[in-house]
């Protein structure tokens, strides 16, 4: 009896050790980046030691000053200005579109859905030039409208598809019950479907936030005034082969640039796991 | 309660999204008018100037702009700057959509493609920019075959071997004598025998600093001649490939496997730990190279090879060209700024060495007086000029696809997939095809 218990404990210890080890491997690049933000170039490339010689926050002070006349704080503010409306608009517009596809029998629905799915497969780089020309004629270049307006028009097929799939899992009996209680179709969406789809909403928020926050190329192409540069553009300002790059400044600012993404993930993470739709059928 | 709140928020954001969608028709018009007013007004002139670079270049260029603005009230110049990554993609997109800046920094490697367009002002057709202070040879190097000059070089880039004095002392390598190809082999063997982790040199581009100059020394010709004929033969190729393999086999240079992941010398642990005596580079890399070693350890040496050959293989090329957008609504002001940028003493003083060794004679004097240009580097520049530097190159040969072919064949050779003989055949085959393509696309 006792022997068995000991064996189980040993197994448990082994499991946890293995998990801890794997976790460490996964997080190692981030740890390295954090310590690297205190090292000189010589230390970063010349030795394999993980810990820096001193913890002087010079990289953070210098990096925050940014290049030229703009500080890193301005980049972060710009990023929020671009990302937050983009995320909100994407979620709202995708939910509306998905609701239409999933709950209404419109003629041509299947064809439209197939077209939307096809768009999901289209690489973004193919769209670059036509979109750019379109935005030029609208006069939107160098404004965040380039990101906000498409988000408001549910152009991310991926999220529309995700919501369609999720709504599929919400029983239609709930809609009928709501209609009997006097809900209009819009109220059914807002009061029944959306609250039940919280996990999908949360994952859409997290994904869109991280993708937009980290996106470099779209932002680089559409934004040309340095005063409107975002974090992902700001981080690359000083990366040039012919000048002495202070890696610790860049690593320090990368640490700071990661904070919002990490925070939003940890704050919203528990909703990922939380129980879903079927709970509405009980009782 | 919670549900109600959610409903309100959602409804509010819905309304917002709807107006954003619906309003999209009117907004741009308003915005368009706005830009018209500011840029098209009588006294206000807004110019845009784009460049790539590091922090130092950004800072100094902004200062140059500030100085111009105080002297020319009514003209404002917005800098659009960043790193080199993505610069060309953005520029071509902007050119296609007519939204490119008025003043644009362009790279030597872009020239061949940009010559085909009419997007830039031809400086030979205007007197607005005084070019008399820039050597004719330098300007000739960036003039197209039909005689157009679309970018004025702001700096000169040339081959230089950067040596680490500490490493040279440790392994007893005499840095005062030039490194001929034979001497590289001898000294390289000696260094590697003393310490199996030490190498005479490291290069992040064997094709550019070994393969090409060695081949050019043998043939005396350009890689691809101006008339699109190949400037090499099978025998010289075989000899060159044999030499490259000898360098690897004798530990003269670091094994290719060890350096695949390293992008530049300053990221090479062996260089930082004084295990490498020298590294061939372009002069524009002087700053990061200097910063990578202890104060006073960096020595500038003349390039390796046969300095008396018909083609010495020494690269000397203009860099960081400044171009003016031919479609700029304020051409006159843009050209005036470019003239100021190159010829105003204050602008030259502020710019210093931020765009490599300056191309204008007066700016070169200023950086020498102020001690910004290292004496050793200046001597190498002089030496390169005296040894036919830059005369063995042309824009066709620096095509990036040709560079890819060079590297692919060298890699196959290193890994033993090809022998020097088969490598020579393969290189001739690939180059014949590529050059025919290039010639065809040029004639179109």
């Amino acid at each position: 009896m006792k022997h068995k218990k000991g064996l189980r404990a040993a197994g448990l210890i082994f499991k946890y050790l293995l998990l801890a080890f794997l976790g460490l491997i996964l997080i190692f690049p981030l740890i390295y980046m954090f310590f690297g933000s205190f090292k000189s170039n010589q230390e970063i490339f010349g030795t394999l030691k993980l810990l820096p010689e001193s913890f002087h926050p010079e990289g953070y002070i210098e990096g925050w000053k940014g290049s030229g006349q703009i500080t890193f704080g301005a980049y972060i503010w710009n990023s929020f200005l671009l990302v937050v409306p983009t995320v909100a608009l994407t979620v709202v517009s995708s939910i509306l579109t998905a609701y239409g596809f999933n709950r209404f029998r419109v003629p041509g629905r299947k064809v439209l859905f197939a077209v939307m799915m096809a768009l999901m497969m289209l690489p973004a780089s193919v769209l670059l030039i036509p979109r750019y020309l379109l935005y030029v004629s609208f006069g939107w270049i160098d404004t965040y409208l380039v990101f906000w307006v498409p988000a408001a028009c549910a152009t991310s097929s991926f999220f529309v598809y995700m919501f369609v799939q999720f709504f599929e899992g919400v029983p239609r009996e709930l809609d009928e019950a709501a209609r009997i209680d006097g809900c209009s179709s819009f109220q059914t969406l807002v009061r029944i479907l959306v609250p039940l789809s919280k996990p999908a909403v949360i994952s859409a928020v997290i994904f869109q936030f991280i993708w937009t926050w980290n996106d470099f190329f779209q932002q680089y192409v559409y934004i040309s005034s340095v005063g409107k540069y975002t974090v992902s553009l700001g981080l690359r300002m000083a990366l040039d082969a012919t000048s002495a790059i202070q890696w610790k400044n860049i690593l320090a600012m990368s640490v700071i640039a990661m904070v919002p993404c990490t925070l939003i993930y940890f704050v919203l993470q528990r909703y990922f796991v939380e129980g879903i739709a079927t709970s509405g059928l009980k009782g | 309660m919670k549900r109600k709140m959610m409903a309100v928020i959602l409804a509010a954001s819905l309304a917002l999204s709807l107006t954003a969608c619906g309003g999209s028709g009117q907004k741009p018009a308003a915005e368009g008018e706005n830009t018209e007013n500011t840029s098209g007004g009588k006294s206000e002139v807004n110019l845009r100037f784009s460049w790539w670079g590091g922090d130092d270049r950004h800072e100094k260029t902004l200062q140059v702009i500030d100085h111009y603005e105080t002297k020319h009230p009514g003209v404002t110049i917005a800098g659009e700057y960043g790193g080199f990554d993505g610069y060309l993609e953005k520029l071509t997109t902007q050119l296609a959509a007519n939204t490119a800046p008025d003043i644009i920094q362009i790279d030597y490697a872009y020239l061949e493609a940009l010559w085909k367009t009419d997007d830039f002002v031809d400086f030979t057709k205007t007197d607005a920019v005084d070019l008399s202070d820039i050597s004719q040879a330098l300007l000739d190097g960036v003039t197209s075959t039909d005689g157009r000059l679309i970018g004025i070089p702001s700096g000169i880039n040339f081959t230089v071997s950067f040596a680490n004095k500490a490493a040279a002392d440790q392994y007893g390598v005499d840095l005062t004598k030039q490194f001929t190809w034979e001497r590289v082999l001898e000294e390289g063997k000696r260094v590697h025998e003393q310490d199996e982790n030490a190498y005479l040199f490291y290069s992040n581009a064997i094709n550019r600093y070994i393969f090409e100059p060695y081949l050019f020394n043998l043939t005396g010709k350009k890689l691809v001649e101006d008339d699109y004929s190949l400037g090499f033969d099978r025998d010289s190729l075989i000899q060159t490939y044999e030499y490259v393999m000898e360098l690897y086999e004798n530990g003269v240079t670091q094994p290719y496997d060890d350096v695949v992941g390293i992008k530049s010398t300053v990221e090479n642990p062996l260089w930082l730990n004084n295990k490498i005596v020298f590294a061939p580079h372009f002069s524009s890399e002087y700053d990061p190279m200097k910063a990578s070693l202890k104060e006073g350890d960096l020595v500038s040496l003349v390039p390796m090879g046969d300095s008396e050959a018909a083609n010495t293989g020494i690269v000397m090329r203009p860099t960081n060209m400044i171009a003016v957008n031919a479609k700029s609504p304020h051409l006159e002001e843009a050209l005036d700024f470019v003239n100021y940028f190159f010829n105003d003493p204050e602008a030259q003083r502020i710019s210093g060495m931020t765009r490599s060794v300056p191309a204008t004679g007066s700016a070169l004097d200023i950086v020498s007086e102020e001690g910004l240009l290292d004496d050793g580097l200046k001597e190498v520049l002089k030496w390169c000029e005296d040894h036919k530097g830059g005369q063995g190159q042309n824009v066709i040969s620096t095509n990036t696809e040709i560079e890819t072919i060079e590297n692919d064949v060298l890699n196959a050779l290193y890994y033993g997939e090809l022998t020097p003989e088969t490598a020579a055949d393969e290189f001739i085959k690939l180059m014949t095809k590529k050059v025919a393509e290039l010639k065809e696309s040029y004639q179109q």
Side-chain angles (χ1 to χ4, degrees), chain A residues 7 16 49 56 58 63 68 116 120 126 142 151 190 199 211 255 275:
Chain A
L7 245 175
Y16 278 113
K49 268 182 282 178
H56 189 67
E58 198 195 343
M116 192 203 73
M120 199 159 86
V126 173
D142 207 21
V190 172
W211 288 346
V255 171

Side-chain angles (χ1 to χ4, degrees), chain B residues 169-188:
Chain B
D169 288 347
Q170 192 181 336
Y171 302 110
V173 179
D174 181 5
L175 293 179
T176 57
K177 276 195 279 177
Q178 201 223 339
F179 283 97
T180 58
W181 299 123
E182 300 79 53
R183 185 162 177 247
V184 167
L185 259 184
E186 283 162 29
E187 293 279 0

Side-chain angles (χ1 to χ4, degrees), chain A residues 15-59:
Chain A
K15 257 186 214 160
Y16 278 113
L17 275 180
L18 188 75
L19 287 176
F21 177 70
L22 285 176
L24 203 68
I25 290 179
L26 289 178
I27 207 169
F28 184 77
L30 300 183
I31 297 175
Y32 186 85
M33 177 169 92
F34 175 73
F35 287 127
S37 67
F38 298 100
K39 292 178 187 169
S40 67
N41 284 357
Q42 190 84 27
E43 256 186 290
I44 291 175
F45 296 112
T47 70
L48 287 175
K49 268 182 282 178
L50 180 62
L51 289 175
E53 273 164 18
S54 80
F55 277 96
H56 189 67
E58 198 195 343

Side-chain angles (χ1 to χ4, degrees), chain A residues 42 45-46 67-69 89 92 96 132-133 136 138 143 153 186 190 220 223-224 226 229 236-240 242-243, chain B residues 7 14 21 28 31 52-55 58 62 79-81 83-84 86-87 90 93-94 97 99 267 269 272-273 284 292:
Chain A
Q42 190 84 27
F45 296 112
S67 337
Q69 72 266 76
L89 292 170
V92 172
L96 279 180
Y132 191 89
L133 294 174
V136 167
F138 290 163
T143 69
C153 299
F186 182 68
V190 172
Y220 185 67
I223 310 290
S224 45
V226 178
Y229 268 22
R236 287 167 176 82
M237 287 294 274
L239 287 185
D240 187 73
T242 57
S243 50
Chain B
L14 260 175
C21 258
E31 208 128 342
W52 73 86
D55 277 340
H58 298 332
L62 289 170
E80 295 178 2
Y81 48 94
F84 188 67
Y87 186 89
K90 183 171 182 171
T93 316
Q94 288 178 327
T99 55
E267 292 171 13
L272 296 171
N273 290 321
S284 57
S292 70

Side-chain angles (χ1 to χ4, degrees), chain A residues 41-42 44-47 66-70 75 88-89 92-93 95-96 128-129 132-133 136-143 145 148-149 152-153 186 189-192 194-196 198 201 216-217 219-226 229 236-247 249, chain B residues 2-4 6-8 10-11 13-14 16-18 20-21 24-25 27-29 31-32 48 52-59 62 79-90 92-94 96-100 157 266-270 272-273 284-288 291-294:
Chain A
N41 284 357
Q42 190 84 27
I44 291 175
F45 296 112
T47 70
S67 337
Q69 72 266 76
I70 289 149
Y75 297 141
L89 292 170
V92 172
S93 64
I95 286 177
L96 279 180
L128 186 71
I129 300 275
Y132 191 89
L133 294 174
V136 167
S137 61
F138 290 163
W140 290 352
I141 295 302
D142 207 21
T143 69
L145 283 175
W148 294 341
V149 177
C153 299
F186 182 68
L189 171 69
V190 172
R191 298 197 166 176
I192 309 292
V194 170
L196 287 175
K198 225 200 257 163
V201 174
F216 168 72
F217 195 65
Q219 297 176 12
Y220 185 67
V221 167
Y222 292 127
I223 310 290
S224 45
S225 309
V226 178
Y229 268 22
R236 287 167 176 82
M237 287 294 274
L239 287 185
D240 187 73
T242 57
S243 50
I245 300 170
Q246 286 301 326
W247 283 103
N249 299 358
Chain B
K2 236 182 174 178
R3 276 191 187 170
K4 227 177 197 169
M6 189 84 177
V8 170
L10 209 75
S13 38
L14 260 175
L16 204 84
S17 87
L18 285 176
C21 258
S24 58
K27 240 185 174 171
E31 208 128 342
R48 291 156 60 214
W52 73 86
D55 277 340
D56 193 37
R57 185 183 293 171
H58 298 332
E59 215 170 282
L62 289 170
E80 295 178 2
Y81 48 94
F84 188 67
D85 278 350
Y87 186 89
L88 179 62
E89 286 86 345
K90 183 171 182 171
T92 45
T93 316
Q94 288 178 327
N98 283 329
T99 55
N157 227 347
V266 297
E267 292 171 13
N268 187 337
L270 290 187
L272 296 171
N273 290 321
S284 57
E285 271 139 300
Y286 179 75
D287 278 346
S292 70
L293 296 181
K294 266 201 231 90

Side-chain angles (χ1 to χ4, degrees), chain B residues 110-130:
Chain B
Y110 307 168
L111 278 178
E112 208 201 342
L114 296 182
W115 276 339
K116 290 180 198 155
T117 71
D118 293 320
D119 293 327
F120 300 98
V121 170
D122 179 359
F123 290 105
T124 58
K125 301 247 166 65
T126 167
D127 296 328
V129 183
D130 179 9

